[in-house]
Amino acid sequence: MSIEIKVPVLPESVADATIATWHVQAGEQVSRDQILVDIETDKVVLEVVAPEDGQIAEFLAEEGETVLGEAVIAKFVAGAVAGQEVTKAEAEAATPAAETEETSDALSPSVRRLIAEHNLNASAVKGTGVGGRITKEDVEAFVKNAKAAPAPSAPAVVAAPLAERSEKRVPMSRLRKTIANRLLEAKNSTAMLTTFNEVNMKPIMSIRKQYQEVFEKRHGIRLGFMSFYVKAVTEALKRFPEVNASIDGDEIVYHNYFDISIAVSTPRGLVTPVLRDTDKMSLADIERNVRELALKGRDGKLTVADMTGGNFTITNGGVFGSLMSTPILNLPQSAILGMHAIKDRPMAVNGQVEILPMMYLALSYDHRIVDGRESVGYLVAIKDFLEDPTRLLLDL
């Protein structure tokens, strides 16, 4: 029985997609629900799986090709391989050595990008695909084994002389193109300004130290800083509705709900999945949902629904050691809050010098909709909530 393999239905906000990686060869026997192809959109990677046990009879779209939603990209034959079934070992044995050696031209775009990111030589990676084809899993396993292996006592490879310096050109991924275009649009189409403040993190750090063990025992998750950040941002948005609004043409849209985007760094780039209705979440709910989104981002499992919407964004460059930054707006949102590294600094307290764990806050906002009074007041409200967390609980 012949089955058409189609591109999944794309959301209204996504016009087309790109064939990223075919994981199987024509004629290769596959099992039901085995991943056939990765399809990359502007926001997420969609996986298309085998509908039945069978094989790909014909490819109708190659890697790197742009396709529309529900387009037919392959023909699939259900059931056992017609005629004599050829195993992978037999296929490798029947393929001349010169043809089984992977070259850079034979690698899929995603594998090329992965090899370039880790600065590897493709010939050093052993392919386990049909005909010795290198898959993403092969590269990841090679990198993992290389990290686990002890460093040799003497360099095994002589460094190339400077005269043999070279360059690598790697195709920009669809997500990276989208990130670049959106950031450029934010810079060019908004009146963006950044205001700064600093916050004493000692009260929150003391709460975490005192209640971490009982919190984890009760809720099954660690108490981090992000739950306090999200809670403070949400409560401050209630007091400054302009920051929770957005511009749509000549109109200002005031949102009466609180959906917070969280910037998450993934192997594919920076993405901003959304926490919905944060005003109804407890600290444990926030920690649980943030962890789930971070894991989905790491594993490439974020859906379009996870990425859609959001009224305000939090980005935490402090986890990478950033001391200060001016974050760029996440359109069509009107503001974004940058959190940074917590550093011990001498501070004046009641005429005395104390060493306190301090963190810089940066609020970038669209000056077309948010005035200086609201932006500074909003940031001060966040500072007050974080320095006196009891106010979050008492709604003060």
Side-chain angles (χ1 to χ4, degrees):
M1 180 177 65
S2 180
I3 303 173
E4 292 181 337
I5 302 298
K6 297 182 178 181
V7 176
V9 176
L10 300 178
E12 292 182 6
S13 60
V14 178
D16 52 33
T18 301
I19 303 295
T21 308
W22 281 106
H23 292 288
V24 297
Q25 302 289 313
E28 178 183 351
Q29 189 72 12
V30 297
S31 304
R32 180 189 180 96
D33 294 332
Q34 181 176 335
I35 297 174
L36 299 177
V37 61
D38 289 339
I39 299 177
E40 190 176 56
T41 72
D42 293 345
K43 297 181 178 179
V44 295
V45 173
L46 306 173
E47 294 178 343
V48 179
V49 300
E52 304 285 348
D53 293 348
Q55 61 175 316
I56 295 285
E58 180 184 1
F59 292 112
L60 302 180
E62 298 298 327
E63 291 180 354
E65 196 171 315
T66 299
V67 292
L68 300 176
E70 299 187 87
V72 180
I73 55 176
K75 291 183 178 179
F76 186 87
V77 178
V81 178
Q84 183 178 3
E85 184 172 340
V86 180
T87 65
K88 185 171 76 173
E90 292 170 337
E92 292 173 349
T95 306
E99 293 179 7
T100 59
E101 292 182 0
E102 280 284 358
T103 65
S104 60
D105 294 335
L107 300 176
S108 68
S110 58
V111 171
R112 276 202 301 273
R113 283 197 297 270
L114 202 57
I115 287 177
E117 287 172 6
H118 294 286
N119 198 25
L120 302 177
N121 186 340
S123 61
V125 182
K126 183 179 179 181
T128 59
V130 174
R133 184 183 179 89
I134 297 176
T135 66
K136 287 196 296 185
E137 291 74 17
D138 295 330
V139 179
E140 291 167 352
F142 182 86
V143 172
K144 183 177 180 181
N145 292 336
K147 289 181 179 179
S153 56
V157 180
V158 178
L162 292 179
E164 297 181 7
R165 292 184 302 172
S166 62
E167 295 179 343
K168 286 186 178 181
R169 291 182 178 268
V170 181
M172 190 180 289
S173 71
R174 192 181 185 98
L175 178 63
R176 179 53 58 186
K177 289 180 186 177
T178 301
I179 292 173
N181 291 334
R182 284 177 58 83
L183 294 180
L184 194 61
E185 181 185 359
K187 291 282 286 185
N188 293 337
S189 65
T190 64
M192 192 170 69
L193 190 63
T194 305
T195 185
F196 302 94
N197 214 314
E198 58 184 350
V199 57
N200 173 16
M201 294 296 291
K202 185 175 181 179
I204 288 178
M205 295 175 76
S206 298
I207 289 176
R208 291 183 69 227
K209 183 177 180 180
Q210 182 176 354
Y211 295 106
Q212 179 70 269
E213 187 175 339
V214 65
F215 183 91
E216 186 172 2
K217 186 176 181 180
R218 172 71 181 272
H219 299 290
I221 192 164
R222 290 181 61 81
L223 178 60
F225 290 117
M226 187 56 75
S227 53
F228 290 98
Y229 299 159
V230 172
K231 206 69 177 173
V233 160
T234 303
E235 292 303 316
L237 286 176
K238 293 179 182 179
R239 290 154 175 76
F240 294 89
E242 296 85 0
V243 183
N244 197 39
S246 61
I247 292 179
D248 184 10
D250 294 329
E251 298 178 330
I252 297 177
V253 182
Y254 290 91
H255 307 289
N256 59 0
Y257 51 89
F258 304 92
D259 292 352
I260 308 299
S261 302
I262 306 294
V264 175
S265 181
T266 75
R268 297 175 60 242
L270 190 70
V271 294
T272 52
V274 182
L275 290 175
R276 305 192 190 280
D277 297 318
T278 55
D279 57 318
K280 301 174 184 177
M281 289 186 182
S282 66
L283 294 179
D285 293 333
I286 294 172
E287 290 291 350
R288 199 173 293 112
N289 281 277
V290 167
R291 176 173 171 76
E292 180 182 348
L293 291 175
L295 291 176
K296 289 174 74 174
R298 182 198 67 185
D299 299 335
K301 302 297 183 182
L302 286 170
T303 65
V304 173
D306 291 329
M307 310 279 288
T308 303
N311 304 336
F312 184 94
T313 297
I314 298 175
T315 178
N316 188 3
V319 297
F320 303 111
S322 171
L323 184 65
M324 180 81 78
S325 70
T326 55
I328 297 179
L329 293 176
N330 182 14
L331 293 180
Q333 298 172 16
S334 297
I336 178 172
L337 180 69
M339 324 298 288
H340 300 91
I342 301 171
K343 299 289 185 180
D344 285 344
R345 295 205 299 271
M347 305 295 293
V349 180
N350 298 324
Q352 301 293 322
V353 176
E354 290 187 26
I355 304 299
L356 297 174
M358 302 298 295
M359 177 178 68
Y360 288 118
L361 301 174
L363 179 75
S364 292
Y365 59 97
D366 189 347
H367 214 335
R368 295 177 303 164
I369 184 173
V370 181
D371 292 330
R373 183 178 68 87
E374 285 81 15
S375 63
V376 172
Y378 178 79
L379 198 55
V380 169
I382 291 176
K383 169 185 169 70
D384 290 343
F385 282 133
L386 294 179
E387 290 188 338
D388 187 3
T390 307
R391 297 183 61 185
L392 289 174
L393 303 176
L394 299 180
D395 194 21
L396 297 176

